[in-house]
Amino acid sequence: MKYSCEYLIIGQGVAGSLLCQELLEAKKSICVIDNHHERSSSLVAAGIINPITGRRFVKSWMIDELLPFSEQRFTAIASKLKQPNYYRPKKILRCLFSQVEETEWLIRTAQEGWKQYVQEVDGLGEFTGHVTPGFGQGVLLGAQVDLARFVIDYRELLKSKELLIEKKFETEELFQSNSISTTTRKFTLFDGLVEYDKIIFCEGAAARHNKMWDFVPFEPAKGEVLHLKIPGLQTDRLLKHKMMMTPLGNELFWFGSNYEWNAKSEEPSEEGLQFLQKRLDKMLPKYEVIDHLAATRPTIKDRRPVLGEHPVINGAYIFNGLGTKGASLGPYFAKEMCELLTKEQPILSEVHLNRFWNNQPEIT
């Protein structure tokens, strides 16, 4: 089968799937190449949107715009796919561990523009007896997006429309064809099997191996998570107790995750398991480990997404760097990316690819 499209998208994780939807709604023709990488962070992530983060309780970047936009887009996409909503508002019980932390919490959360994200709370509630108490608690009003289900459902949509090529993409294919020309307007891949106008790389952490983007300072962060069973604990709330714990239903919970920078292996490790279990032992008096998973997050050095056209290679774009915040950053910047592609609309300098362009990379 021969494919001809305006936009060829490499990668069908959260970024790629959201961009596909934006382009289809803009009435553009697309095609996707993806091999369904089992270590994709999109399939392992909990999809948490936390409006206030860090030890100093910092308001998440652009959260006032990102949170409502994420809700609107994931709700709309679920409706179009005739699926239950991927987006769910969630309360996050945050444990505080000292008088200093509690005072900082009260000062920060009393600031203008923060009150819609916090609630006062007294006690652990349903977590009592199951979780080691801290000094105090607060409640954050965030959300959770079922990213794995969204990506899987969207894959089925692409397959049903014959828009998905299920194979591993090798960057060398571009250099063996006419696809890195600085003048050609129509490009081909796979001996003419695919014909396209523009190619967008949504490869996630795999982009660090793509020599086209050597100048982008990727800092891939491997994360390991556990699935737990906690007998007797039933809740719909998330728990931030140094690390994050989120319910999966039927007394099962997602717990994680750690950060391992530039890990040599993407597999779950014994070191990662021990790290998580040490924290669990300080937090939970009783639990059972059901599963141990790992994935590598597509993180950029400055912790911002990266969008834009390659400064040298005509028609080649990147949409990457969602890191740990794909559920909140993904919808908003997929829209920005679509408008850049289809209308040449300018994008925020904070996420523009050009912020990393100092010297032309060597392309051979």
Side-chain angles (χ1 to χ4, degrees):
M1 180 176 176
K2 185 172 182 178
Y3 297 84
S4 182
C5 62
E6 295 169 276
Y7 300 97
L8 177 62
I9 297 170
I10 309 300
Q12 191 256 315
V14 172
S17 298
L18 288 167
L19 180 58
C20 284
Q21 185 62 28
E22 293 293 341
L23 289 168
L24 288 174
E25 289 184 16
K27 308 299 183 185
K28 303 300 180 181
S29 61
I30 67 168
C31 182
V32 182
I33 298 176
D34 185 88
N35 71 333
H36 200 49
H37 181 43
E38 66 178 4
R39 297 294 179 205
S40 169
S41 61
S42 301
L43 301 177
V44 177
I48 299 166
I49 302 179
N50 190 348
I52 298 174
T53 63
R55 296 178 180 177
R56 299 295 304 273
F57 311 116
V58 177
K59 193 173 178 182
S60 294
W61 179 64
M62 287 186 64
I63 193 64
D64 294 340
E65 295 85 8
L66 298 176
L67 190 62
F69 197 87
S70 177
E71 179 174 17
Q72 183 273 322
R73 289 305 290 147
F74 279 115
T75 300
I77 294 171
S79 178
K80 289 177 181 179
L81 297 184
K82 296 181 170 55
Q83 296 291 336
N85 201 344
Y86 302 111
Y87 183 100
R88 300 183 301 277
K90 288 282 187 174
K91 292 183 178 181
I92 305 169
L93 181 66
R94 171 137 190 179
C95 289
L96 310 172
F97 293 97
S98 69
Q99 181 66 63
V100 173
E101 272 201 350
E102 185 175 63
T103 300
E104 185 77 17
W105 168 270
L106 293 173
I107 292 172
R108 290 281 190 172
T109 57
Q111 294 176 357
E112 186 69 27
W114 290 48
K115 292 184 179 180
Q116 69 267 36
Y117 300 121
V118 297
Q119 285 184 348
E120 295 303 317
V121 65
D122 184 18
L124 290 172
E126 70 275 24
F127 292 102
T128 302
H130 297 285
V131 174
T132 303
F135 183 86
Q137 302 84 28
V139 169
L140 297 166
L141 303 179
Q144 187 173 22
V145 179
D146 194 336
L147 296 178
R149 186 165 60 86
F150 163 64
V151 169
I152 292 168
D153 288 348
Y154 210 85
R155 188 177 194 85
E156 292 305 310
L157 172 72
L158 292 172
K159 290 169 69 174
S160 71
K161 293 180 177 292
E162 297 186 331
L163 299 176
L164 179 66
I165 301 173
E166 295 186 277
K167 67 179 297 181
K168 185 176 181 180
F169 177 82
E170 300 288 354
T171 308
E172 287 71 18
E173 173 69 25
L174 290 174
F175 297 90
Q176 294 167 1
S177 66
N178 69 338
S179 293
I180 62 168
S181 167
T182 58
T183 57
T184 305
R185 297 306 302 169
K186 200 75 175 178
F187 306 120
T188 60
L189 280 177
F190 309 128
D191 295 324
L193 175 67
V194 180
E195 187 178 67
Y196 64 93
D197 297 324
K198 296 178 180 180
I199 184 169
I200 307 98
F201 290 86
C202 304
E203 301 170 286
R208 68 193 188 277
H209 303 305
N210 187 333
K211 62 182 179 180
M212 289 177 64
W213 312 109
D214 280 350
F215 59 96
V216 178
F218 289 102
E219 288 190 349
K222 177 183 174 183
E224 301 191 43
V225 304
L226 301 178
H227 288 180
L228 313 173
K229 184 176 180 65
I230 306 176
L233 179 55
Q234 298 285 354
T235 183
D236 191 49
R237 293 197 295 177
L238 283 61
L239 177 69
K240 175 67 172 177
H241 192 290
K242 302 290 187 182
M243 303 187 79
M244 189 69 75
M245 188 172 79
T246 177
L248 301 174
N250 299 318
E251 300 181 345
L252 297 177
F253 295 83
W254 179 104
F255 177 78
S257 94
N258 65 336
Y259 286 79
E260 184 180 352
W261 305 102
N262 298 304
K264 294 181 180 179
S265 169
E266 294 187 349
E267 299 291 326
S269 67
E270 181 62 29
E271 293 81 5
L273 176 62
Q274 291 179 6
F275 176 91
L276 294 172
Q277 285 185 315
K278 284 181 180 179
R279 276 142 187 81
L280 278 170
D281 291 341
K282 295 178 181 180
M283 171 181 166
L284 301 174
K286 187 175 182 181
Y287 66 90
E288 177 186 355
V289 175
I290 304 298
D291 204 359
H292 179 199
L293 307 170
T296 301
R297 311 171 184 91
T299 309
I300 307 295
K301 185 175 182 179
D302 63 5
R303 306 297 184 265
R304 295 286 184 263
V306 57
L307 291 70
E309 184 175 15
H310 196 285
V312 174
I313 302 175
N314 186 50
Y317 294 76
I318 189 170
F319 176 30
N320 206 314
L322 301 182
T324 61
K325 298 182 178 181
S328 58
L329 296 172
Y332 187 94
F333 287 105
K335 182 70 171 178
E336 293 276 296
M337 189 74 212
C338 179
E339 293 187 350
L340 170 67
L341 290 166
T342 60
K343 303 176 183 178
E344 297 186 355
Q345 293 278 7
I347 58 177
L348 288 174
S349 60
E350 292 167 281
V351 302
H352 202 291
L353 172 65
N354 285 350
R355 71 191 192 271
F356 302 127
W357 179 252
N358 295 314
N359 299 294
Q360 179 175 324
E362 182 180 349
I363 301 171
T364 58

